[in-house]
Amino acid sequence: MSDVYYFRTLPASGPQSYPKRIAIVGDLGLTYNTTCTINHMSSNEPDLVLLVGDVTYANLYLTNGTGSDCYSCSFSKTPIHETYQPRWDYWGRFMQNLVSKVPIMVVEGNHEIEAQAGNQTFVAYSSRFAFPSEESGSLSSFYYSFNAGGIHFIMLGAYISYDKSGHQYKWLEKDLANVDRSVTPWLVATWHPPWYSSYSSHYREAECMRVEMEALLYSYGVDIVFNGHVHAYERSNRVFNYTLDPCGPVHITIGDGGNLEKMSITHADEPGNCPEPSSTPDPYMGGFCATNFTSGPAAGKFCWDRQPDYSAFRESSFGHGILEVKNETWALWTWHRNQDSNNKVGDQIYIVRQPDKCPFHGMPQPKPLLASS
């Protein structure tokens, strides 16, 4: 039997009730950089950890009988074998000191697909974490929602169907319609691959998902979106359909947790770095949707010629983020680099909600004034 561990549950839902600090991290793996990230993050004493996909990278460690650090990297032409499941155990033991004391909520990334015998996928991911799927009306562990005080978190699956006719989209419509913004004013969405990233790595890879879902999330006034996948940090301005919009969400890519692969460095807007369009679709995410821009500064082109207007800050450094929601109006977002001291800030911004200027579905509407005779 293990030791007995204790953790503090999340605060009850309410417009003045919030976890003190929420740590956001993505693409962790189990490397020297992972150790630095987790140590740094733990020193910030989070009350909740949000892991935005790519947990262990166990799919890169195959049951092949070699001691290669990354078998599929070193021997790419060898037939695929079963992924090395003990890697999940190593990761779990490493994370125990943190997650035995702090709740962790996880959404799947592409490295959790883990194709195995019998055409099974996502087996380790679905078996090793607890998901409030049934409680949130979901039929799947790949998408669900939960409340943390006055924040409603929506966790979406990018590697299963997200079409408007599919179960996930219909669940999302129902979940958003049921959110009471007088109780949970903040609406935060999370999935693995970003819609807004200016790095050449995975550039516009999730465009089909954006085309299907962005308008729905916008119509309900989502405040912040967190993603991983791109191994760097990037924060957007408020944006909708590639256009600056004061009512759009802030998109934050936080895929800089550690990973096993290299850091993303090149930007698609730099000369010679724009990907060939046909190379951008992900085989697990559907067809090709990223065509040339039809309007704005990048009209007629697949990539921008400068840092896009939607990109506010970007940097290729390992780190983690801390979200501190203060009340129903404003929150403080801070990104910390691994190489910095704990009290040094890599990027910081106040995120302010303005529901009076940005009405959304489900928002109480003012009663019409009666004309006097």
Side-chain angles (χ1 to χ4, degrees), residues 37-58:
T37 298
I38 296 302
N39 289 342
H40 205 177
M41 185 173 70
S42 298
S43 68
N44 278 320
E45 299 181 345
D47 301 298
L48 169 66
V49 175
L50 202 66
L51 176 50
V52 296
D54 284 0
V55 180
T56 68
Y57 292 80

Side-chain angles (χ1 to χ4, degrees), residues 25-283:
V25 67
D27 301 69
L28 268 179
L30 190 56
T31 68
Y32 292 113
N33 291 308
T34 310
T35 301
C36 187
T37 298
I38 296 302
N39 289 342
H40 205 177
M41 185 173 70
S42 298
S43 68
N44 278 320
E45 299 181 345
D47 301 298
L48 169 66
V49 175
L50 202 66
L51 176 50
V52 296
D54 284 0
V55 180
T56 68
Y57 292 80
N59 66 316
L60 298 183
Y61 297 82
L62 305 182
T63 54
N64 53 77
T66 79
S68 173
D69 285 342
C70 175
Y71 183 82
S72 61
C73 302
S74 303
F75 307 99
S76 58
K77 295 183 179 180
T78 302
I80 295 298
H81 301 277
E82 289 267 321
T83 62
Y84 190 61
Q85 292 303 292
R87 194 72 186 174
W88 282 89
D89 300 324
Y90 303 157
W91 186 88
R93 286 192 287 270
F94 169 74
M95 293 290 290
Q96 178 176 298
N97 190 51
L98 174 64
V99 300
S100 63
K101 304 171 184 175
V102 180
I104 183 171
M105 302 301 287
V106 184
V107 70
E108 72 277 7
N110 56 298
H111 284 279
E112 278 70 73
I113 297 173
E114 291 192 286
Q116 295 178 309
N119 295 320
Q120 296 184 92
T121 55
F122 296 105
V123 175
Y125 165 80
S126 298
S127 302
R128 292 173 180 261
F129 297 104
F131 308 97
S133 301
E134 183 178 347
E135 293 86 342
S136 57
S138 168
L139 300 175
S140 169
S141 60
F142 303 138
Y143 54 90
Y144 61 93
S145 64
F146 67 96
N147 291 344
I151 311 168
H152 185 72
F153 283 99
I154 297 174
M155 317 289 277
L156 297 178
Y159 301 102
I160 60 170
S161 173
Y162 44 72
D163 296 340
K164 289 183 174 67
S165 59
H167 290 297
Q168 179 174 205
Y169 190 94
K170 292 177 180 178
W171 168 85
L172 178 59
E173 285 183 307
K174 185 179 297 185
D175 189 81
L176 288 168
N178 289 334
V179 175
D180 185 346
R181 300 299 279 271
S182 67
V183 177
T184 54
W186 289 85
L187 189 52
V188 177
T190 294
W191 58 90
H192 187 58
W195 293 348
Y196 291 95
S197 170
S198 62
Y199 284 85
S200 54
S201 173
H202 305 299
Y203 181 68
R204 300 180 71 184
E205 184 177 282
E207 187 72 0
C208 289
M209 184 185 182
R210 186 194 70 80
V211 170
E212 288 291 308
M213 288 186 159
E214 185 177 28
L216 179 60
L217 295 178
Y218 178 83
S219 69
Y220 278 91
V222 169
D223 300 296
I224 311 173
V225 171
F226 289 109
N227 306 113
H229 201 42
V230 175
H231 297 161
Y233 171 73
E234 186 166 17
R235 171 177 55 82
S236 82
N237 295 303
R238 290 188 176 272
V239 61
F240 172 66
N241 195 25
Y242 291 104
T243 303
L244 298 185
D245 189 318
C247 298
V250 174
H251 289 253
I252 297 174
T253 299
I254 191 80
D256 56 346
N259 74 75
L260 181 63
E261 302 159 323
K262 60 184 179 180
M263 175 68 71
S264 298
I265 297 175
T266 61
H267 303 116
D269 50 271
E270 295 167 339
N273 288 337
C274 183
E276 204 283 317
S278 65
S279 70
T280 57
D282 181 273

Side-chain angles (χ1 to χ4, degrees), residues 337-351:
R337 301 182 190 90
N338 283 357
Q339 65 264 35
D340 293 338
S341 60
N342 290 340
N343 58 359
K344 187 174 180 180
V345 170
D347 181 42
Q348 191 172 66
I349 185 176
Y350 286 109
I351 299 175

